[in-house]
């Protein structure tokens, strides 16, 4: 076996990088695999969307706590009180996470894990370039991107080019002028309608419950927020009035 490491972290998203900050701080021998913040790059996050979490729910756990985001915001002249909504854009979060990684000297190995086997004395790991390594401990930090929740449709419908999951909806232009059915009554479907509603579409929404479950847990009702909500409401004029009010 070429290489042995005490802790192998699989995945360089916020969770893996957060753990790496502690291991680095404690001087534990570790390796972290995967391209840093790849989920937050092209495939799932539009740069014009705001993150859902506020500053205080956004910073990754780390030995310095919230202070690390506070000082980053200050040095990048991002003023929490100056923003109507106290949150970041995904590209800002990615920039924050690269500074975070530099600060804790986290160097992701961009190779991916292809296969993991338990040997009884740790783990044998096959990487995607054909090389091998051994780890005494493994942390799986691969995120939820492989766990899209679809209705129980046949696979041929899910794979159809006319069907897309909200977490992959990045270009409203692809859906311009189309007649669209949005299935689901949660925050993602309300946001999808808001996003697609600017592209000259006819949109219907299918909801099982009495209204939209919009997570307002952490978001103050600023004027900007209200305007955004009104835009969402006006994006589906064909739904019953009580749903729109709700
Ligand atoms: C539209 C949208 C909006 C969101 N808004 C927010 C928000 O405002 N605030 C918030 O906190 N969260 C938000 N989230 C959720 C957020 O994306 C996740 O909670 C977060 O990314 C989870 O971090 P993670 O490190 O667990 O996983 P991920 O960020 O998914 O990272 C996992 C990493 O592991 C890598 N990986 C997978 N398999 C392998 C392998 N075999 N080898 C090596 N690497 C591998 C992946 O490429 C990926 O980079 C949002 C999600 C979506 C889709």
């Amino acid at each position: 076996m070429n290489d042995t490491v005490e802790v192998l972290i699989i995945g360089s998203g916020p969770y893996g990088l957060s753990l790496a900050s502690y291991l680095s701080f404690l001087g534990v021998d570790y390796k972290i695999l995967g391209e840093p913040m790849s989920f937050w790059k092209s495939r799932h996050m539009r740069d014009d969307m705001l993150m859902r979490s506020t500053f205080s729910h956004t910073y990754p756990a780390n030995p310095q706590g919230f202070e690390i985001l506070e000082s980053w915001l200050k040095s990048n002249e991002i003023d929490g009180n100056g923003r109507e909504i106290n949150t970041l854009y995904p590209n800002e979060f990615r920039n924050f996470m690269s500074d975070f990684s530099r600060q804790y000297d986290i160097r992701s190995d961009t190779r991916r894990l292809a296969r993991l086997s338990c040997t009884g004395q740790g783990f044998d790991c096959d990487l995607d370039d054909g090389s091998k390594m051994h780890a005494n401990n493994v942390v799986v930090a691969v995120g939820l991107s492989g766990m899209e929740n679809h209705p129980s449709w046949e696979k041929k419908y899910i794979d159809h080019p006319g069907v897309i999951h909200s977490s992959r909806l990045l270009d409203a232009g692809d859906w311009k002028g189309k007649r669209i059915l949005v299935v689901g009554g949660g925050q993602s479907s309300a946001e999808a309608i808001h996003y697609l509603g600017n592209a000259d579409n006819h949109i219907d929404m299918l909801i099982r419950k009495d209204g939209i479950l919009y997570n307002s847990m952490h978001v103050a009702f600023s004027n900007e927020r209200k305007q955004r909500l009104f835009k969402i409401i006006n994006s589906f004029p064909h739904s019953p009035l009580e749903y729109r009010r709700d």
Side-chain angles (χ1 to χ4, degrees):
M1 198 64 50
N2 313 350
D3 234 347
T4 295
V5 74
E6 186 55 28
V7 181
L8 179 71
I9 306 171
I10 308 160
S12 295
Y15 183 81
L17 294 170
S18 166
L19 175 63
S21 75
Y22 283 98
L23 297 182
S24 177
F25 182 76
L26 295 169
V28 175
D29 171 41
Y30 75 93
K31 187 186 261 304
I32 178 166
L33 292 179
E35 192 203 328
M37 299 297 288
S38 68
F39 181 78
W40 290 77
K41 287 180 184 159
S42 52
R43 273 191 328 120
H44 294 93
M45 303 279 175
R46 300 195 313 270
D47 275 339
D48 62 341
M49 72 174 224
L50 280 165
M51 285 176 64
R52 293 171 182 167
S53 51
T54 53
F55 292 153
S56 55
H57 292 88
T58 291
Y59 77 97
N62 69 89
Q64 283 161 278
F66 185 51
E67 197 187 298
I68 199 159
L69 180 62
E70 267 181 337
S71 61
W72 185 86
L73 292 170
K74 209 177 271 171
S75 63
N76 285 276
E77 297 178 355
I78 297 175
D79 173 6
N81 298 320
R83 284 196 173 194
E84 279 269 21
I85 299 175
N86 205 342
T87 188
L88 295 172
Y89 288 95
N91 63 332
E92 292 173 327
F93 185 58
R94 287 196 306 266
N95 292 341
F96 164 65
M97 288 307 290
S98 26
D99 288 351
F100 177 92
S101 301
R102 260 192 296 280
Q103 197 153 333
Y104 286 105
D105 197 22
I106 302 166
R107 294 164 207 211
S108 296
D109 179 331
T110 54
R111 291 174 297 176
R112 292 175 68 85
L113 182 86
R115 190 162 171 277
L116 186 69
S117 30
C118 185
T119 62
Q121 284 173 327
F123 301 85
D124 286 344
C125 315
D126 295 337
L127 305 186
D128 63 356
D129 65 351
S131 55
K132 292 179 184 296
M133 58 181 296
H134 184 83
N136 293 333
N137 302 279
V138 168
V139 178
V140 179
V142 296
L144 298 174
S145 55
M147 301 185 198
E148 291 176 10
N149 185 13
H150 287 271
S152 47
W153 294 336
E154 283 179 45
K155 195 162 169 358
K156 68 176 175 189
Y157 295 117
I158 293 170
D159 291 341
H160 191 283
V163 175
I164 193 165
H165 189 270
S166 58
S167 68
R168 284 181 285 115
L169 181 61
L170 293 174
D171 188 355
D174 292 346
W175 302 83
K176 200 169 164 51
K178 298 247 162 81
R179 206 165 166 197
I180 300 169
L181 177 68
V182 175
V183 181
Q187 183 165 343
S188 295
S189 68
E191 285 174 353
I193 288 170
H194 183 201
Y195 183 55
L196 293 169
N198 298 326
D200 193 20
N201 298 311
H202 177 109
I203 304 175
D204 289 292
M205 185 183 203
L206 194 61
I207 333 178
R208 271 183 302 194
K209 300 210 170 117
D210 292 347
I212 296 169
L213 290 172
Y214 201 85
N215 183 1
S216 57
M217 172 182 82
H218 47 252
V219 184
F221 269 75
S222 61
N223 282 339
E224 189 186 334
R225 186 77 189 165
K226 274 191 208 133
Q227 278 170 16
R228 275 158 56 87
L229 279 175
F230 283 129
K231 268 199 205 154
I232 292 174
I233 289 164
N234 292 330
S235 296
F236 38 99
H238 303 286
S239 54
L241 187 61
E242 63 273 25
Y243 288 177
R244 295 168 59 198
R245 283 216 192 96
D246 188 79

